[in-house]
């Protein structure tokens, strides 16, 4: 009974390894070259979204609105326009949630998580 159990486990392990190798080969080996195509495409899309200029009053997101494949700015409150450069005339400022602190908060969060990773001790 114990020998049958071990051989069944080995068979499952071998089948799992073969299946994983086939799937990795399918995902990584593209048109005769070893590359990870999905991550290259994702990084290009992310860089395209980061390159959209929103006048410092908005952001472009990959999952947001897009025009002709280019991400469109999503403006902060009180700002409108395709690049968020126009101030809305009927806007009341919300001083309880200052948006100008968002970049500073993001920098602080990044440094807290990754700040010491590049330093040599």
């Amino acid at each position: 009974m114990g020998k049958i159990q071990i051989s069944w486990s080995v068979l499952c392990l071998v089948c799992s390894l073969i299946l994983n190798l086939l799937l990795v080969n399918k995902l990584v080996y593209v048109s005769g070259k070893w590359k990870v195509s999905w991550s290259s495409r994702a990084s290009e899309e992310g860089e395209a979204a980061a390159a959209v200029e929103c006048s410092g009053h908005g952001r472009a997101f990959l999952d947001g609105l897009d025009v002709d494949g280019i991400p469109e700015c999503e403006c902060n409150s009180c700002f409108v326009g395709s690049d968020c450069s126009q101030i809305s005339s009927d806007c009341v400022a919300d001083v309880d949630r200052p948006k100008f602190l968002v970049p500073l908060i993001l920098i602080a969060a990044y440094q807290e998580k990754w700040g010491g990773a590049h330093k040599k001790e």
Side-chain angles (χ1 to χ4, degrees):
M1 182 78 170
K3 190 161 182 101
I4 295 173
Q5 183 69 26
I6 292 173
S7 63
W8 180 250
S9 299
V10 170
L11 177 67
C12 289
L13 177 66
V14 169
C15 289
S16 174
L17 289 173
I18 291 171
L19 181 63
N20 280 311
L21 286 173
L22 290 173
L23 291 175
V24 166
N25 187 34
K26 174 83 172 146
L27 289 174
V28 178
Y29 192 70
V30 179
S31 66
K33 296 180 183 176
W34 288 97
K35 67 178 189 176
V36 184
S37 61
W38 59 268
S39 67
S40 299
R41 187 175 58 247
S43 68
E44 289 169 1
E45 291 173 356
E47 288 175 4
V52 174
E53 180 61 39
C54 296
S55 302
H57 302 296
R59 289 195 167 163
F61 297 99
L62 285 177
D63 61 347
L65 303 172
D66 65 356
V67 177
D68 298 327
I70 300 171
E72 192 174 85
C73 291
E74 293 182 19
C75 301
N76 296 338
S77 57
C78 298
F79 292 94
V80 295
S82 62
D83 63 349
C84 304
S85 61
Q86 301 165 353
I87 299 175
S88 178
S89 61
D90 60 345
C91 179
V92 177
D94 183 6
V95 294
D96 292 331
R97 297 181 357 169
K99 298 270 185 172
F100 69 90
L101 291 177
V102 170
L104 299 175
I105 293 169
L106 292 176
I107 290 170
Y110 176 82
Q111 288 176 344
E112 182 178 322
K113 185 170 185 178
W114 301 103
H118 66 283
K119 296 179 183 177
K120 294 183 180 177
E121 305 255 349

